[in-house]
Amino acid sequence: MPPEYDYDAADQLSRALKQCIERIDWFLWLRNGRRKALLSTPHSDNWQGAKRNHYERDFARQQAALRDLMDEARRLHARVGQATEQARAQHAQQKN
């Protein structure tokens, strides 16, 4: 017989993943706002040419990595939800 599903652990994991998603989303927003403040115009005196291009490439790569991490957390959050629903359905069937 398989072990019983740990609903408390699933709830804790689900909450932690949701919090992770929200924090990464906020961090993406914050970084984008700071970037806009730093590079207020395309020809900012402090950020032109190769220096700016390097910053923009690094920034885009970092933002993409954070979005990938957030997407993975969303997938895991959905899988935890599906597993919990599956366990509830099986538990309901066993009662009948």
Side-chain angles (χ1 to χ4, degrees):
M1 180 169 199
E4 294 223 7
Y5 190 80
D6 191 342
Y7 292 98
D8 289 334
D11 286 344
Q12 288 175 353
L13 180 57
S14 182
R15 279 192 301 275
L17 287 166
K18 187 173 189 257
Q19 187 177 44
C20 179
I21 292 163
E22 290 169 353
R23 286 185 179 180
I24 292 171
D25 189 44
W26 174 82
F27 192 53
L28 285 164
W29 173 83
L30 178 69
R31 284 174 45 88
N32 197 45
R34 289 193 176 168
R35 178 189 158 273
K36 285 180 183 176
L38 180 64
L39 307 173
S40 59
T41 66
H43 303 292
S44 174
D45 291 341
N46 296 327
W47 292 87
Q48 290 184 4
K51 185 177 179 182
R52 182 179 180 129
N53 292 339
H54 178 64
Y55 174 84
E56 293 283 14
R57 276 192 308 273
D58 284 348
F59 181 84
R61 200 170 35 246
Q62 292 165 3
Q63 292 291 88
L66 286 167
R67 280 191 297 274
D68 289 346
L69 183 61
M70 186 171 64
D71 290 344
E72 183 61 24
R74 282 184 175 139
R75 282 189 290 275
L76 290 171
H77 185 258
R79 289 181 67 191
V80 169
Q82 290 168 351
T84 301
E85 288 305 313
Q86 217 173 24
R88 284 191 176 118
Q90 287 175 352
H91 184 73
Q93 280 181 344
Q94 290 172 355
K95 280 188 169 184
N96 293 333

